[in-house]
Amino acid sequence: MGRPNSQNSLEKSNVACEESVAPPGYTEGGNNNIGRLSPERRIIVERSLKRKLDARCGLFVLIYIMNYLDRNNIGAARLKGLQADLSLNDTQYATCLSILYVGYILMQVPSNIFINRIQRPSIYIAAVMLLWGLISTLTGVVKDFHGMVVIRFILGFVEAAFLPGALLILSKWYTRRELTYRNAILFCGNLISNAFSALIGAGVLSNMQGTLGHSAWRWLFWIEGAGTMLVAISAAFILPDLPTNTRGFTQEELTVAQLRMTEDVGEEDVDDSNQGVFAGLIMVLKDPIVYVMMLTFTAYVVGLSFNAFFPSLTQTLGLSYVPTLLMSSPPWVFACLFSLFNAWHSDRTQEKFWHIVGPICVGLVGFVISMATLNHAARYIALFLQASSYAGFIVFYSWISSSFPRPPAKRAVALAMINAFSQLGNVAGSYVWDLKEDGYRKSYGIVTAMFGVAIFGCWVIRMMLVNKNKNLDREEAVSWGAQPEAVAGSTAAGLGASESKSAQSSGFRYLI
């Protein structure tokens, strides 16, 4: 696997402190000079920083829970009459699912370009959340297919800002040795929402039918949308902004936060002051690994499309609607725990490929079981295995961040573009599960093939990063002045001259 950054260890961080490796604004001998921090003081400040940061970023988990509740509660509502009340056939229902991702795709890149250039991303995230909560609430007043399509499109358009924005904010605070586990905690909001949406759905759908003359599925949208708006208000005050300006941290903590990111890759996590608005987009479009990641991630997302139909898949166990919703929860709780362990181990070993491919293989076993038998016990176990495949999905996001470490403008666009393109997988996946015969056997065959494509794509990405690391190895063995051809070699391998030079000086290697 790729060697971790040679300055990631605590000992080398302390050496960096003593050598006065400081962010801009700190001068040698000044009262606030971070270089004058003793190693012991550095440890204390860094622990305090991470404790506060973890607590505040924990709100991202709740936001993600609400994000997925508002997006996926249509699956639970379907079981209690939404499709019948709106006179939707199966194709129209699938269109209502997929149209959300059209808006989602269109907005992600522009939103992340914007969020990378503003000083208070917490305010932006909170405002977006308030708006999507309102839109979700309005879903409860929809009367027909056309109204549902319009609402779902707008919901996806607004929700698009959250996930790539949250991933970008986390990548501005956490080093590569910390990011995968923090991403996993964030994505537990996704997994937990799958569990809690079933529990909340069971409670609302079984007790609210006919209340004030409205169907229970309408109450589901109203209640969950109101909860989202309530959380949005708190987000403006709790979420962190940037390591340079976040309120609630001491100056020492903010300085150490900036220093940690500089040590991690070998250069500051800032964009060139002369860089244009679309500079990050141009850099991403020129990088071939972006396109491989886009295709690979899209295949992965198609394979994970069972998520939106999980209550329907659970219903193949022969249960009524409330037991179906209740039995849908345990697989996602298990998947959350498995994902946390997988991410922790990925950070500990600084390895990505097997921590993605391994969970995919676990999911493949679940698919094969579901295709091979209609036995209820076996199929329920298979649901646990299928849900566990999300663990690799989480690690893939941190692989994106670590593969485009600098400048942040490029990382912001790469995260958004790869994630946005992958939503085409959700659009396609909305139609995969129309094949209900034999317990969705044909549908399982399609997602099995997509997981195979994802494994192959991950192998290609790994080989590309190995090639980049070999070029960095060669550059470290020669002097830049004596061997200018090294620059040409690294550029041919996909490394820009400035990117390669900074990587050489820091001991940076891509994680594989």
Side-chain angles (χ1 to χ4, degrees):
M1 70 180 186
R3 293 183 299 174
N5 186 323
S6 63
Q7 292 185 336
N8 266 340
S9 66
L10 183 57
E11 292 82 0
K12 293 191 177 183
S13 295
N14 292 336
V15 170
C17 287
E18 296 178 317
E19 290 178 351
S20 300
V21 180
Y26 287 85
T27 59
E28 187 69 22
N31 292 335
N32 290 325
N33 182 14
I34 195 67
R36 298 181 63 187
L37 277 180
S38 67
E40 294 78 12
R41 179 61 181 167
R42 163 71 185 264
I43 292 173
I44 293 172
V45 172
E46 191 161 0
R47 284 177 178 170
S48 175
L49 165 70
K50 289 197 286 188
R51 185 170 58 251
K52 291 181 182 179
L53 188 59
D54 287 342
R56 295 177 66 165
C57 287
L59 185 62
F60 277 132
V61 179
L62 180 57
I63 294 175
Y64 205 6
I65 290 174
M66 304 309 297
N67 180 275
Y68 252 66
L69 285 178
D70 292 336
R71 187 189 310 179
N72 288 348
N73 51 15
I74 189 172
R78 182 191 192 190
L79 298 178
K80 194 59 175 177
L82 176 145
Q83 187 170 354
D85 288 354
L86 300 183
S87 301
L88 306 179
N89 58 41
D90 287 345
T91 301
Q92 288 176 323
Y93 175 76
T95 301
C96 291
L97 291 180
S98 62
I99 195 66
L100 178 141
Y101 298 104
V102 176
Y104 201 75
I105 291 167
L106 292 175
M107 188 58 181
Q108 285 202 30
V109 172
S111 176
N112 246 31
I113 291 175
F114 177 73
I115 203 171
N116 184 59
R117 299 180 69 87
I118 61 177
Q119 294 298 305
R120 296 292 182 189
S122 61
I123 303 297
Y124 177 66
I125 294 291
V128 165
M129 187 180 184
L130 190 66
L131 184 56
W132 95 55
L134 175 61
I135 295 168
S136 180
T137 302
L138 294 177
T139 308
V141 301
V142 167
K143 301 296 184 182
D144 54 26
F145 168 67
H146 300 291
M148 181 63 78
V149 167
V150 171
I151 285 289
R152 295 282 292 177
F153 173 81
I154 298 174
L155 180 63
F157 193 83
V158 177
E159 280 194 348
F162 169 67
L163 181 57
L167 292 171
L168 180 63
I169 292 172
L170 291 176
S171 72
K172 287 179 176 289
W173 286 92
Y174 291 105
T175 67
R176 293 182 302 153
R177 283 190 174 274
E178 303 163 341
L179 186 59
T180 305
Y181 186 69
R182 267 64 180 197
N183 280 352
I185 294 175
L186 168 64
F187 275 91
C188 277
N190 174 354
L191 303 178
I192 291 171
S193 71
N194 284 306
F196 278 98
S197 64
L199 296 176
I200 294 172
V204 174
L205 295 176
S206 61
N207 295 308
M208 299 293 290
Q209 182 64 29
T211 301
L212 299 180
H214 299 293
S215 299
W217 67 264
R218 296 187 184 276
W219 282 106
L220 183 65
F221 288 107
W222 293 335
I223 292 172
E224 291 184 356
T228 296
M229 290 188 282
L230 184 63
V231 174
I233 296 172
S234 65
F237 301 97
I238 297 176
L239 291 180
D241 290 306
L242 305 177
T244 56
N245 67 349
T246 298
R247 293 161 291 185
F249 293 93
T250 67
Q251 187 59 53
E252 272 186 330
E253 289 166 345
L254 292 178
T255 304
V256 169
Q258 297 168 65
L259 179 60
R260 279 161 32 90
M261 302 310 296
T262 301
E263 293 168 348
D264 188 38
V265 176
E267 63 176 290
E268 298 168 38
D269 192 30
V270 295
D271 293 311
D272 192 315
S273 58
N274 297 321
Q275 193 169 278
V277 174
F278 300 107
L281 177 62
I282 294 170
M283 285 185 277
V284 164
L285 293 175
K286 292 180 178 179
D287 196 333
I289 198 171
V290 171
Y291 300 99
V292 181
M293 284 189 163
M294 287 165 65
L295 295 173
T296 301
F297 210 34
T298 301
Y300 202 163
V301 170
V302 174
L304 293 172
S305 60
F306 62 84
N307 166 45
F309 294 84
F310 209 76
S312 298
L313 297 178
T314 307
Q315 199 171 36
T316 63
L317 303 178
L319 304 171
S320 60
Y321 80 93
V322 172
T324 291
L325 294 176
L326 295 176
M327 292 290 281
S328 296
S329 300
W332 294 112
V333 175
F334 175 79
C336 181
L337 297 176
F338 179 66
S339 296
L340 288 173
F341 172 78
N342 187 62
W344 170 83
H345 195 263
S346 176
D347 274 346
R348 184 178 178 86
T349 60
Q350 290 291 273
E351 200 278 339
K352 302 298 181 186
F353 176 78
W354 289 110
H355 288 84
I356 297 171
V357 171
I360 291 178
C361 291
V362 173
L364 283 172
V365 173
F367 293 162
V368 171
I369 292 174
S370 294
M371 287 188 289
T373 181
L374 294 177
N375 178 271
H376 292 171
R379 291 179 69 87
Y380 192 54
I381 292 173
L383 292 178
F384 280 81
L385 300 178
Q386 292 165 31
S388 297
S389 61
Y390 261 90
F393 180 77
I394 294 168
V395 176
F396 201 110
Y397 274 108
S398 69
W399 208 12
I400 298 171
S401 294
S402 66
S403 298
F404 308 100
R406 299 292 184 271
K410 181 179 181 181
R411 186 172 72 247
V413 175
L415 281 166
M417 181 172 289
I418 294 170
N419 188 61
F421 188 85
S422 72
Q423 300 311 309
L424 292 174
N426 278 318
V427 175
S430 299
Y431 299 93
V432 167
W433 299 93
D434 286 342
L435 309 172
K436 301 178 182 180
E437 298 82 7
D438 298 322
Y440 296 93
R441 180 174 295 172
K442 292 180 181 178
S443 299
Y444 277 119
I446 294 172
V447 295
T448 297
M450 290 297 100
F451 268 9
V453 173
I455 290 174
F456 176 74
C458 287
W459 178 82
V460 173
I461 294 167
R462 185 178 189 275
M463 291 300 101
M464 295 176 76
L465 293 177
V466 165
N467 188 45
K468 286 190 174 187
N469 283 342
K470 287 179 178 178
N471 278 275
L472 291 174
D473 288 338
R474 285 194 293 269
E475 291 166 19
E476 280 198 345
V478 298
S479 165
W480 275 96
Q483 299 288 346
E485 63 273 14
V487 179
S490 64
T491 303
L495 293 169
S498 61
E499 178 183 2
S500 177
K501 188 172 182 178
S502 106
Q504 177 194 359
S505 64
S506 69
F508 168 87
R509 293 297 181 273
Y510 292 95
L511 303 180
I512 60 176

